[in-house]
Amino acid sequence: MNNALSGLRVLDLTHMLSGPYCTMILGDMGAEMIKVEPIAGEGTRKLLATDPEHSIDGMGAYFITLNRNKKSIAIDLKSEDGLALFYSLVEQADIVVNNYAAGVPEKLKIDYPRLAEINPRIISCSITGFGEQGPGAKRPAFDQVAQAYGGGMSITGEDTSQPMRAGIPIGDLGGGMFGVMGILSAVIERYQSGRGQHVDISMLDAQISLLNYMATMHFMSGNNPQPIGNSHFVHVPYNSYPTADGHLVICVITDNFWHNLKGLLHCEALEKSEYDTQPGRLADKTFIDTTLADIFHSQSTAYWMEKLNAQRIPAAPVNTFSQALNDEQVLYRNMVVDLAHPNGQTTKGPGCPIKLSRSEESAYTPAPLLGQDTQHILSDMLAMPDDEIDRLRSKGVIA
């Protein structure tokens, strides 16, 4: 397979979401993924594992999705033999990823300075809630903590009375995405220096970065922005509107789009000359939104989308999951793929969003059973004799 990251070997110590999402993307792009799990298994194995609607043969949707394209080896890193075994794997690896709480890698003796002594080319990445340094580094964090602390929740929702998190876990996923970027930056730099380095990813840092131009606006004005639902603080109309059978959004960001919309709707109330430019529309935002809501509610979403698309007005239906995951563009882009269980059963899940012109499309091997590759990895990768593997297994060092 001509995958973009073929030849890179990753030791994956991650759990839950932010770390596994990072390593999932690396695996999708062709890196060899070795998931190093505790003897009892990574905690995500238990999530939804007994839910009859969201599991296959004791493996839940979390694990099936996030751990595709990975091998599993189970090691007791807290034992002397287990730690020595992990160090042997580090000698043969390129990248080590974890999302333990700050300070845990040092306690486990798997922090970057120790790993670099074993393999100077090793690249390590830690994804934590608040980063590994600083006065708040030791605070516990999960997705919603990062969303709240990073300011994004303060502008999500209809008003300030009820802060609202993003529907997708952008706190966790943001940390995972920036983890991928940091790791690949370190890989590129290693081609120049010949040495590895450590990548320190903070979920909070990621959320602050995603505030982007709105943070700059705050520094300029001194004002805290307020939640405004689905509307926009500059563009009008830019909002969601009810239809006869659902909702749609339109995003009029230029005056030309406004003129196209007027030509489509033939509504006398919207023909005021002051509406022909953005300042006039912004000044009467509530009236315009209310008028459009009444108009769009008269017909189905499909009816309006056909009309809006014909006029090239930026618009979209507010899709449910079933609608989005069956959309012809989504399917054409191979963004719905088969995900298999080791027993041969399959379900479907999201594909890889990174498309490269020469490298082959991602393939998806099943998420592994606990420790299913232990024997193979130790015998092939480390050339360990069977009697030594049996000894480690009998001592409970591996599973």
Side-chain angles (χ1 to χ4, degrees):
M1 293 287 288
N2 177 30
N3 293 124
L5 300 185
S6 293
L8 288 178
R9 178 176 285 156
V10 181
L11 302 182
D12 178 4
L13 294 162
T14 65
H15 63 289
M16 297 304 289
L17 183 52
S18 63
Y21 184 72
C22 168
T23 52
M24 182 199 79
I25 295 295
L26 295 175
D28 285 353
M29 301 304 293
E32 180 187 1
M33 303 302 306
I34 299 176
K35 185 173 181 66
V36 182
E37 302 190 58
I39 297 298
E42 188 249 293
T44 314
R45 284 188 178 276
K46 298 178 181 179
L47 292 178
L48 301 177
T50 59
D51 184 325
E53 289 190 347
H54 301 114
S55 65
I56 298 175
D57 201 7
M59 186 179 287
Y62 273 81
F63 200 85
I64 287 173
T65 307
L66 292 163
N67 294 288
R68 63 201 192 193
N69 296 324
K70 298 178 184 180
K71 304 170 185 175
S72 172
I73 178 172
I75 304 175
D76 178 11
L77 292 180
K78 296 180 180 180
S79 69
E80 185 176 338
D81 284 340
L83 188 59
L85 181 57
F86 179 73
Y87 288 161
S88 296
L89 294 173
V90 170
E91 290 178 350
Q92 305 295 322
D94 295 284
I95 300 160
V96 178
V97 187
N98 80 81
N99 61 318
Y100 295 128
V104 172
E106 289 80 5
K107 290 180 181 178
L108 292 175
K109 300 179 181 178
I110 57 170
D111 51 300
Y112 175 71
R114 286 186 173 91
L115 302 185
E117 289 181 5
I118 298 165
N119 180 355
R121 288 178 55 81
I122 201 71
I123 293 165
S124 65
C125 176
S126 292
I127 303 172
T128 60
F130 293 89
E132 295 182 287
Q133 305 295 329
K138 296 296 179 70
R139 292 172 177 166
F142 291 96
D143 169 75
Q144 195 158 328
V145 172
Q147 288 197 40
Y149 208 101
M153 275 184 65
S154 75
I155 57 170
T156 305
E158 293 292 336
D159 54 51
T160 57
S161 67
Q162 183 61 58
M164 188 73 63
R165 69 173 177 87
I168 60 173
I170 192 62
D172 275 326
L173 298 178
M177 288 187 286
F178 280 97
V180 173
M181 288 183 258
I183 289 167
L184 296 184
S185 297
V187 169
I188 292 170
E189 193 280 336
R190 189 175 67 178
Y191 285 117
Q192 304 169 38
S193 68
R195 296 183 294 118
Q197 59 182 304
H198 181 59
V199 180
D200 174 5
I201 298 295
S202 156
M203 289 163 58
L204 174 61
D205 290 355
Q207 295 305 294
I208 295 296
S209 175
L210 294 173
L211 297 180
N212 202 262
Y213 68 87
M214 295 191 74
T216 306
M217 290 171 61
H218 161 73
F219 285 121
M220 288 178 168
S221 68
N223 298 323
N224 285 312
Q226 302 293 306
I228 53 175
N230 294 324
S231 66
H232 198 279
F233 58 90
V234 173
H235 304 301
V236 177
Y238 189 115
N239 213 331
S240 62
Y241 303 95
T243 66
D245 60 356
H247 289 80
L248 59 78
V249 300
I250 60 170
C251 303
V252 173
I253 61 173
T254 70
D255 294 336
N256 286 338
F257 291 142
W258 171 252
H259 291 299
N260 290 348
L261 182 62
K262 282 199 309 177
L264 167 63
L265 299 180
H266 304 293
C267 175
E268 185 176 349
L270 300 177
E271 293 290 344
K272 296 179 182 179
S273 60
E274 54 264 38
Y275 292 170
D276 287 346
T277 58
Q278 179 272 339
R281 295 194 298 276
L282 184 61
D284 214 359
K285 176 180 177 179
T286 300
F287 175 78
I288 292 173
D289 276 342
T290 301
T291 301
L292 290 177
D294 289 341
I295 294 171
F296 288 130
H297 196 260
S298 66
Q299 299 287 346
S300 69
T301 301
Y303 171 89
W304 288 119
M305 286 307 304
E306 181 180 358
K307 302 290 186 183
L308 291 164
N309 285 336
Q311 296 295 321
R312 296 194 57 78
I313 298 166
V318 179
N319 281 333
T320 62
F321 274 40
S322 60
Q323 291 168 329
L325 295 171
N326 285 283
D327 181 80
E328 62 179 359
Q329 180 68 10
V330 171
L331 298 177
Y332 178 87
R333 299 280 296 176
N334 201 29
M335 284 307 300
V336 174
V337 299
D338 289 328
L339 300 178
H341 185 282
N343 70 6
Q345 291 180 263
T346 63
T347 184
K348 292 188 181 295
C352 181
I354 302 170
K355 314 296 184 185
L356 301 177
S357 63
R358 286 191 295 105
S359 298
E360 293 185 24
E361 185 76 20
S362 301
Y364 302 96
T365 60
L369 300 174
L370 176 60
Q372 73 173 35
D373 304 290
T374 300
Q375 182 85 22
H376 170 74
I377 291 169
L378 297 186
S379 60
D380 285 19
M381 184 172 156
L382 300 184
M384 184 176 289
D386 289 346
D387 59 348
E388 177 61 10
I389 296 174
D390 291 341
R391 183 187 74 82
L392 294 174
R393 185 177 289 111
S394 67
K395 290 182 65 177
V397 174
I398 60 174

